[in-house]
Amino acid sequence: MSESDRDTNFFESVYEVAALIPAGRVTSYGAIARYLGSARSSRMVGWAMNNSFSSDRNIPAHRVVNRNGSLTGKHHFPNEHEMQRRLEAEGIKIMDDQVVNFSDVFWDPNLELKVL
DNA sequence: AATGTGACATACC
DNA sequence: TGGTATGCCACAT
């Protein structure tokens, strides 16, 4: 392909993974970053999510939380409660802006998508 | 080219 | 227990 691959490859990869997150599950930025091969690029994942609002595809950014299961990114949603509301709509319980049973609903792409 | 930034993660005080 | 500091990497200006 073109050399401009890396231009959107990283972001697009994030979108891919995020789009693969099953409803009712959540994952962490670090998990996605690690799946992409850049375990330390966890921040870029969040950044990609930020761009996801401008992305053509609907990215379930609400299913992406930090390592602590905290809805750190809710502030970036059109409505802060939108994120929590969507998660609850998928069966995820939110308490104090944190995902209840986080380990139970945690979806690790490295485990589920370790198809490489 | 250099500097700044950011929805994280980890370590240290 | 919580704030501060640093690392880390890719994007924006």
Side-chain angles (χ1 to χ4, degrees), chain A residues 26-77:
Chain A
V26 295
T27 191
S28 63
Y29 304 95
I32 296 176
R34 187 168 54 185
Y35 176 72
L36 297 179
S38 301
R40 282 92 180 181
S41 301
S42 48
R43 306 161 108 167
M44 309 295 67
V45 178
W47 203 301
M49 292 289 111
N50 187 12
N51 253 336
S52 71
F53 288 96
S54 299
S55 179
D56 296 333
R57 300 181 178 180
N58 288 341
I59 307 301
H62 60 275
R63 295 186 190 143
V64 184
V65 296
N66 70 351
R67 193 75 176 115
N68 191 30
S70 305
L71 279 54
T72 50
K74 71 175 189 178
H75 300 286
H76 290 266
F77 275 76

Side-chain angles (χ1 to χ4, degrees), chain A residues 89-109:
Chain A
E90 296 181 355
I92 298 176
K93 305 295 178 65
I94 306 299
M95 182 176 291
D96 191 28
D97 294 335
Q98 278 192 142
V99 177
V100 181
N101 301 330
F102 177 61
S103 302
D104 188 53
V105 298
F106 180 67
W107 180 82
D108 190 342

Side-chain angles (χ1 to χ4, degrees), chain A residues 3-23:
Chain A
E3 63 280 349
S4 57
D5 274 356
R6 58 185 128 106
D7 238 5
T8 51
N9 198 331
F10 193 91
F11 273 40
E12 218 172 287
S13 299
V14 176
Y15 301 148
E16 283 276 322
V17 179
L20 290 173
I21 302 174

